[in-house]
Amino acid sequence: MNRNGRLAAKMGAVAALIVLAEILIDDGNGAVVGGFAGAWIATLYLTRRAIRHDRAARMATIAAAGMALVLVDDPSFLAWVLFWTALSLAALLPRHGFDDALAWSRRLGWHAISAVVAPVKDIARLSTIRQRRGARPGGIRAVARLVALPLAGGAVFLALFANANPLIGQAFAGIVLPDPWTIAWRMLFGLAVLIATWVSFRPSLHTTRWSRIGEHSTTKAFGPGVATLTLSLVTFNAIFAIETILDLVFLWSGAGLPAGVTMADYAHRGAYSLIVTALLAGVFVLVALRPGSAAAASPLVRRLVTVWMVQNLLLVASSALRTLDYVDAYGMTVLRLSALGWMALVASGLALIGWRLLAGKSAGWLINANAVAAMTVLATAGVVDLAATAAAWNVRTTMARGRAGAPLDLCYMARLGTSSLVSLTVLERHAREPGLHDRLAYLRWQTQYRTAGDQADWRRWTPRNARRLAVVRAMVGTKSPDVRPAPYGRDCDGGVQPPPPLVTTPVPLAPAPSTPALPPPEPTPGPATPVQPAPAPSAPKPLTPGPQR
């Protein structure tokens, strides 16, 4: 296949991907996302011969296919980012071999930026080539000139006939045109798919020209002497020893804390600060101690660094223990579970930095080893549902410890959505208190109903949610539970909201209507009548007790 044929095949593949995305991904986030990812891999592998002949590119393609399967099972943003990274590596590796992860992170960044202008540059390049070769008689411009007048004139005459003939007018009135906003949205979506996919078929030549960072670049920027490093490491080890001893006494041994300090406060305040401290220590060792330098060759410096790295690893372990103590007091969340994974990654990085110094490994080895560790943690987080793991942890703890355990945050469980469906069902079946059982049944049914609605739409259907629904239906069936009526709604934890308090506004008494004073009657003519004196008031009669009512 010649060059023009390969270009036409890539254009056809991208056009097919745009049409497929318009059909599959229409306000849906289900298994169809993974199907589109699989189609993208297949078209790229078939149209780019260099990928099929490069071993590293084939390995990246296999990794992309694995993440596409994850997208089929349960689409997520993290899984999509990992898929795009693997697919971009497959597209770029035939042009430049893999050297170190830091250089490739910059190349992938430039690859993402160049995706915006890649279609425009290729269109401009094709236009320039056509101008150099000269316009052919059967070109696009000639076809446009040929059909412009018939189309414009036919449209004018049809408009006139529609106005003159009611039959034609009714026929045109029966045509329902799509919503302009829908057309604009679909065009923007197609443009986004074009930008995302085209650059993988025709990556920019400048992308793979980014070089690695030189081995001596950090030493030139910062290279303290042996005496300075020795004094610094002695100072750092002494300061770190204070924190290490306090953690060993109060955190690991379980000794009582001073008055006014709770274990939750002690655990929560130090977890993330210690991680920052360990990171700064790792950066210091990485920058100041390059293998082969005079400081790295000093036996005293090497011993001090070893002691310091051991203390940093103990700090990371203390941070993990603090987080677990906080989880024990307040429950597990996705953020706390992610923090534990991050701490494991920091610990592996510190161990690799220390080993690099002691074994004399290169900077490229250290970068690649940390990249492998980071990708392992991220891939695990992309495959495992962290929200479902946190929900299962909280339910198991509640069932095992009861009221002695951490209070179960049902509002947070409800916010986890489908991920907490199985855990809510398990807890509902074991709840004995009528009020708790009612709340759990309500929350479980709301989540089950929404999940079933999403599964009914083929664009939102996922195998993972299908498995969850099957497990829940096997436990509680498909009928709605008999829950207490809630005429005033429910809280986020499923509790019935009480009726709003009656607010009585005092009504001011209206003043009695004033009647105008009537004028005295006019005297009538007649004989004068003598005025009789008013009778004297009679004495009050004594009260006699009457019948009681």
Side-chain angles (χ1 to χ4, degrees):
M1 184 184 295
N2 57 14
R3 185 174 182 179
N4 293 332
R6 291 195 298 269
L7 179 60
K10 294 175 182 178
M11 294 174 64
V14 172
L17 288 176
I18 293 175
V19 174
L20 184 64
E22 294 281 0
I23 295 173
L24 295 181
I25 311 174
D26 183 14
D27 193 23
N29 188 28
V32 293
V33 177
F36 173 77
W40 189 354
I41 295 172
T43 53
L44 183 64
Y45 191 80
L46 292 175
T47 55
R48 288 200 60 191
R49 183 176 55 186
I51 296 178
R52 301 194 296 269
H53 293 84
D54 189 271
R55 183 175 178 273
R58 291 197 303 269
M59 296 298 294
T61 305
I62 294 174
M67 295 314 301
L69 292 177
V70 175
L71 288 171
V72 169
D73 188 54
D74 188 28
S76 64
F77 178 75
L78 178 59
W80 179 260
V81 171
L82 294 175
F83 162 77
W84 179 88
T85 302
L87 191 69
S88 299
L89 284 173
L92 296 174
L93 280 171
R95 293 187 175 181
H96 196 290
F98 193 90
D99 40 19
D100 65 65
L102 185 60
W104 272 99
S105 63
R106 299 197 307 274
R107 290 167 188 151
L108 289 175
W110 178 254
H111 180 68
I113 295 173
S114 64
V116 181
V117 297
V120 179
K121 291 176 62 177
D122 285 336
I123 291 174
R125 187 180 295 112
L126 288 176
S127 177
T128 304
I129 294 174
R130 286 182 177 274
Q131 290 178 1
R132 291 177 181 176
R133 294 179 179 178
R136 292 178 295 179
I140 297 178
R141 294 182 180 179
V143 174
R145 286 195 297 266
L146 178 65
V147 301
L149 182 60
L151 289 177
V156 172
F157 288 129
L158 279 176
L160 293 175
F161 284 140
N163 188 35
N165 193 320
L167 297 179
I168 300 177
Q170 291 179 0
F172 276 102
I175 299 175
V176 180
L177 296 177
D179 183 36
W181 291 107
T182 303
I183 296 176
W185 164 247
R186 302 314 302 179
M187 291 180 64
L188 288 175
F189 180 73
L191 180 62
V193 175
L194 171 64
I195 292 173
T197 55
W198 181 255
V199 72
S200 62
F201 289 89
R202 288 182 58 84
S204 173
L205 295 175
H206 300 283
T207 302
T208 52
R209 292 179 181 176
W210 290 92
S211 60
R212 354 174 7 183
I213 295 179
E215 185 77 19
H216 301 275
S217 59
T218 56
T219 306
K220 293 179 180 178
F222 181 70
V226 177
T228 302
L229 279 176
T230 303
L231 182 59
S232 300
L233 290 172
V234 169
T235 305
F236 297 160
N237 274 301
I239 295 174
F240 273 53
I242 298 174
E243 178 65 31
T244 301
I245 293 172
L246 289 175
D247 282 344
L248 289 175
V249 171
F250 294 108
L251 193 63
W252 292 92
S253 66
L257 291 169
V261 181
T262 63
M263 179 56 70
D265 294 335
Y266 188 83
H268 187 253
R269 287 185 60 182
Y272 302 109
S273 300
L274 293 183
I275 290 297
V276 174
T277 304
L279 286 174
L280 291 176
V283 171
F284 176 81
V285 175
L286 182 65
V287 173
L289 292 169
R290 181 180 57 85
S293 62
S298 172
L300 179 59
V301 171
R302 293 168 69 90
R303 293 191 189 97
L304 290 173
V305 168
T306 303
V307 173
W308 196 33
M309 298 308 292
V310 170
Q311 288 202 79
N312 277 279
L313 289 174
L314 185 58
L315 284 182
V316 176
S318 298
S319 299
L321 184 59
R322 289 166 185 257
T323 304
L324 290 175
D325 288 341
Y326 197 77
V327 167
D328 187 66
Y330 296 101
M332 180 66 77
T333 63
V334 176
L335 181 60
R336 293 162 194 166
L337 190 58
S338 303
L340 290 172
W342 168 248
M343 293 172 190
L345 184 60
V346 171
S348 65
L350 290 172
L352 290 171
I353 290 174
W355 180 252
R356 178 233 181 179
L357 178 64
L358 297 176
K361 298 293 185 178
S362 64
W365 175 88
L366 179 64
I367 292 172
N368 292 337
N370 278 281
V372 170
M375 293 303 295
T376 302
V377 173
L378 291 176
T380 303
V383 174
V384 178
D385 190 345
L386 299 182
T389 305
W393 177 298
N394 292 329
V395 169
R396 284 196 304 269
T397 305
T398 300
M399 293 174 57
R401 301 177 59 182
R403 296 183 180 274
L408 184 62
D409 189 353
L410 290 181
C411 290
Y412 180 75
M413 295 283 288
R415 288 199 300 270
L416 295 179
T418 307
S419 300
S420 64
L421 178 59
V422 177
S423 298
L424 286 173
T425 308
V426 171
L427 192 59
E428 176 193 353
R429 294 187 64 189
H430 290 81
R432 296 292 180 263
E433 184 182 350
L436 178 62
H437 186 275
D438 178 80
R439 289 189 293 158
L440 290 170
Y442 172 79
L443 294 176
R444 186 265 307 168
W445 175 249
Q446 293 295 316
T447 307
Q448 181 179 351
Y449 183 80
R450 287 194 297 267
T451 305
D454 290 340
Q455 291 295 99
D457 186 355
W458 65 275
R459 290 187 177 92
R460 298 185 180 183
W461 182 90
T462 62
R464 181 171 292 182
N465 283 341
R467 294 194 299 269
R468 286 170 175 159
L469 274 181
V471 171
V472 171
R473 287 169 177 171
M475 288 192 292
V476 295
T478 58
K479 294 182 179 180
S480 60
D482 187 13
V483 297
R484 296 167 53 189
Y488 300 100
R490 288 181 179 258
D491 295 324
C492 61
D493 61 350
V496 177
Q497 291 184 354
L502 296 177
V503 179
T504 57
T505 305
V507 181
L509 297 177
S514 58
T515 56
L518 296 178
E522 296 182 0
T524 55
T529 313
V531 178
Q532 300 291 335
S538 59
K541 298 180 179 181
L543 296 176
T544 58
Q548 295 182 356
R549 299 181 180 178

